[in-house]
Amino acid sequence: MALNIKRPNGTEDVIPKNINKWHTVENIAKDVASMYGFKEIRIPTFENTELFQRSVGETTDVVQKEMYTVIAKETKFTLRPEGTAGTIRAMMQNGLLNEAMPQKVFYILSCFRHERPQAGRLREFHQFGVEMAGSSLPSADADVISMANDIINMLEIKNVELKINSIGCPKCRAEYHKALKAYFENKKDKLCDTCLSRLEKNPMRILDCKSPVCSEIAKDAPLILDYLCEECSDHFEKLKFYLDNLDIKYTVDPKIVRGLDYYTKTVFEFVTTDIGAQGTICGGGRYDGLIEQMGGQKTPALGFAMGLERLILTMENQGISFAEDMGCSLYIAPMDESAVPYSMKLAAELRSSGLWVEYDTVGRGLKAQMKYSDKLGAAFTMVLGENELNENKAKLKNMKTGEETEIMLDSSFGEHFSDIAIGEMFGEVLENI
Ligand code: HAM
């Protein structure tokens, strides 16, 4: 019987012809991260379930409905639904928070959430994210937002709005919770069951419930900005001043509360209208209480994460071109088996200088080899047969112009070929200017 197993719903394969899109986004994000002094961190794909319950929050959709959890040998593990909790856990466990502050890390990782799949919303997706620990100042918020803004600009993504808000600290949140409870109390009978329990434990979570009825009711709920304490209000004003100072455009959106419980003070999202309903390409904020809550010393921190699939989708929809990965420089076509050993040697020499070189490894005839070299998009081809080997020279064919150049098959070959190939590359660059 034929094997008919498909990839799980909400997951994607990235096949080789599309991998350059991922490389483009990842390379630019990494380059910008290093300009801001962030170093890469790698963490496990799964963690103890409790880590997410305690950080992301028991009353969030992510923890209540979307986690992939397994019990292995009586311990509960969860595939990470996001990168912050694991990253902070790793920073604490490896003593990074005892070093000079601020500590700045970035990551590229897969996340898993059991959501309803749609365009831009997957069950396995990928994030580029950053976390900065050790600064409570609004200049740090501005620096982190500026970094996200730079990545989006360097990717040439347009039509993006930066939305910022402050969701206060536990002090002002207490007053706000009271106001929310009072507001939702007499609309109780219309709320979904999950929100009913949230009303007691964490009424702010009702504000990002995905049920259409709850979100309709939430539209007229009191706004956190009206309840900020003096410290949070000052922090927010200074952040706005710094963003203005950097000429970063933003709008204040008092409805942004984010879907994860650890946030305090600043929250922000970069949103585009070009990829449909799931238009948030980046989300982040400050989480000054999380490290202490996880058993560490009180350490303010903040960060953001960008959905790589959403960035790529936006770029595709906006017709932005992606950098091409390195092309094939040379295809060596042995006429028969006797020319294979020499083909191998030449390929090895050129590969050691960093070029992509191929020779026939499937025993094709000459005509089929030429067709294959065409498919690879090789810049040059070179046929090697008895004559070429006897005379110690061959013809290098430029596949774009059809022009043929004689080249010696001796110790000068590598250098001579590199000169020709580089000349060709420069010609192409000049043509494209
Ligand atoms: P988040 O808003 O849950 O925040 O996710 C960040 C980004 O990941 C979103 O803006 C979106 O681009 C992408 N994303 C989220 N869910 C999906 C999905 N189901 N399919 C495709 N893309 C998705 C966080 O995860 C926080 N840890 C961000 C952060 C870091 N805050 C502070 N530091």
Side-chain angles (χ1 to χ4, degrees):
M1 212 169 75
L3 189 67
N4 191 18
I5 302 175
K6 300 268 162 56
R7 62 172 177 263
N9 227 350
T11 64
E12 273 176 2
D13 304 308
V14 182
I15 57 172
K17 97 175 154 58
N18 291 328
I19 199 69
N20 68 315
K21 299 181 180 179
W22 287 76
H23 291 161
T24 304
V25 172
E26 289 170 6
N27 289 341
I28 286 184
K30 281 187 197 169
D31 286 350
V32 175
S34 66
M35 293 192 261
Y36 280 76
F38 284 72
K39 297 259 187 286
E40 185 170 4
I41 190 164
R42 297 190 185 186
I43 56 167
T45 310
F46 62 93
E47 299 271 357
N48 281 288
T49 302
E50 203 189 340
L51 175 73
F52 302 115
Q53 289 167 330
R54 288 194 19 200
S55 56
V56 171
E58 292 278 11
T59 53
T60 57
D61 267 4
V62 170
V63 168
Q64 289 188 322
K65 303 178 185 166
E66 297 166 3
M67 294 208 302
Y68 286 91
T69 297
V70 290
I71 300 175
K73 310 261 185 234
E74 291 168 21
T75 307
K76 259 187 171 180
F77 296 106
T78 296
L79 294 179
R80 59 184 171 223
E82 55 101 59
T84 306
T87 299
I88 293 298
R89 197 257 327 121
M91 291 173 85
M92 290 169 65
Q93 195 166 348
N94 292 281
L96 268 66
L97 301 182
N98 306 327
E99 316 242 320
M101 293 294 182
Q103 282 293 310
K104 305 194 272 191
V105 298
F106 78 85
Y107 49 81
I108 294 176
L109 43 72
S110 50
C111 300
F112 306 85
R113 296 185 193 174
H114 193 89
E115 296 190 85
R116 200 167 41 79
Q118 65 180 95
R121 188 162 73 193
L122 291 142
R123 289 181 173 166
E124 181 188 19
F125 59 98
H126 297 79
Q127 288 186 343
F128 167 83
V130 308
E131 312 297 346
M132 180 203 268
S135 171
S136 61
L137 299 182
S139 50
D141 305 35
D143 206 38
V144 161
I145 291 177
S146 161
M147 178 177 170
N149 192 56
D150 280 356
I151 294 173
I152 291 167
N153 285 339
M154 282 188 67
L155 291 171
E156 295 177 34
I157 292 177
K158 300 165 289 287
N159 301 338
V160 179
E161 199 180 355
L162 164 62
K163 299 179 176 189
I164 61 169
N165 190 22
S166 173
I167 56 169
C169 62
K171 205 166 77 191
C172 34
R173 199 87 58 76
E175 281 309 301
Y176 182 52
H177 277 179
K178 271 192 217 155
L180 279 181
K181 270 190 188 165
Y183 173 81
F184 285 115
E185 195 62 39
N186 49 20
K187 300 170 178 64
K188 245 167 132 173
D189 46 336
K190 297 201 191 93
L191 293 179
C192 73
D193 287 348
T194 321
C195 283
L196 260 186
S197 71
R198 287 169 171 162
L199 184 57
E200 284 315 309
K201 291 188 202 144
N202 190 357
M204 227 172 90
R205 284 276 71 91
I206 303 176
L207 301 178
D208 62 23
C209 177
K210 286 173 192 136
S211 123
V213 179
C214 296
S215 37
E216 188 57 38
I217 299 174
K219 270 189 182 152
D220 296 322
L223 298 173
I224 177 75
L225 281 184
D226 297 329
Y227 292 82
L228 292 187
C229 65
E230 206 180 320
E231 188 196 323
C232 290
S233 184
D234 276 358
H235 187 100
F236 197 47
E237 287 311 308
K238 282 210 180 107
L239 168 63
K240 288 192 278 183
F241 167 73
Y242 288 143
L243 292 177
D244 292 337
N245 183 51
L246 287 168
D247 279 330
I248 297 175
K249 303 271 170 293
Y250 59 85
T251 48
V252 173
D253 183 344
K255 300 234 154 162
I256 290 185
V257 290
R258 313 275 300 126
L260 313 159
D261 266 357
Y262 45 65
Y263 292 110
T264 53
K265 293 186 177 161
T266 310
V267 288
F268 59 91
E269 290 182 351
F270 287 83
V271 185
T272 176
T273 46
D274 289 344
I275 53 171
Q278 303 303 318
T280 308
I281 53 175
C282 172
R286 194 168 258 294
Y287 47 91
D288 288 347
L290 179 64
I291 294 174
E292 194 181 18
Q293 198 186 312
M294 282 170 61
Q297 290 207 343
K298 191 168 167 39
T299 313
L302 69 161
F304 67 76
M306 299 177 155
L308 298 185
E309 286 85 355
R310 290 189 193 176
L311 290 176
I312 291 170
L313 192 60
T314 311
M315 290 171 73
E316 286 171 344
N317 287 359
Q318 295 185 354
I320 297 167
S321 56
F322 295 86
E324 289 299 334
D325 284 345
M326 180 178 73
C328 178
S329 296
L330 175 64
Y331 182 85
I332 305 170
M335 295 248 271
D336 54 43
E337 213 184 316
S338 65
V340 170
Y342 201 72
S343 306
M344 264 178 199
K345 287 230 183 234
L346 289 180
E349 186 186 343
L350 295 181
R351 285 168 180 167
S352 71
S353 57
L355 296 175
W356 170 6
V357 180
E358 302 238 359
Y359 59 90
D360 177 58
T361 53
V362 290
R364 288 190 173 99
L366 203 53
K367 212 167 147 202
Q369 286 196 55
M370 289 304 137
K371 236 175 150 179
Y372 181 67
S373 134
D374 225 30
K375 266 205 178 130
L376 287 180
F380 292 91
T381 52
M382 184 173 75
V383 175
L384 284 192
E386 218 180 303
N387 283 349
E388 284 77 11
L389 294 182
N390 285 341
E391 289 171 25
N392 242 6
K393 57 186 181 196
K395 283 189 176 135
L396 202 58
K397 184 170 179 188
N398 181 325
M399 295 305 282
K400 213 159 100 205
T401 60
E403 196 186 324
E404 289 190 327
T405 317
E406 204 166 76
I407 187 165
M408 294 305 293
L409 299 176
D410 57 17
S411 57
S412 69
F413 178 80
E415 205 173 315
H416 195 176
F417 179 77
S418 297
D419 286 349
I420 296 171
I422 288 167
E424 171 68 20
M425 263 161 53
F426 272 121
E428 218 166 89
V429 172
L430 290 176
E431 259 172 43
N432 290 334
I433 288 179

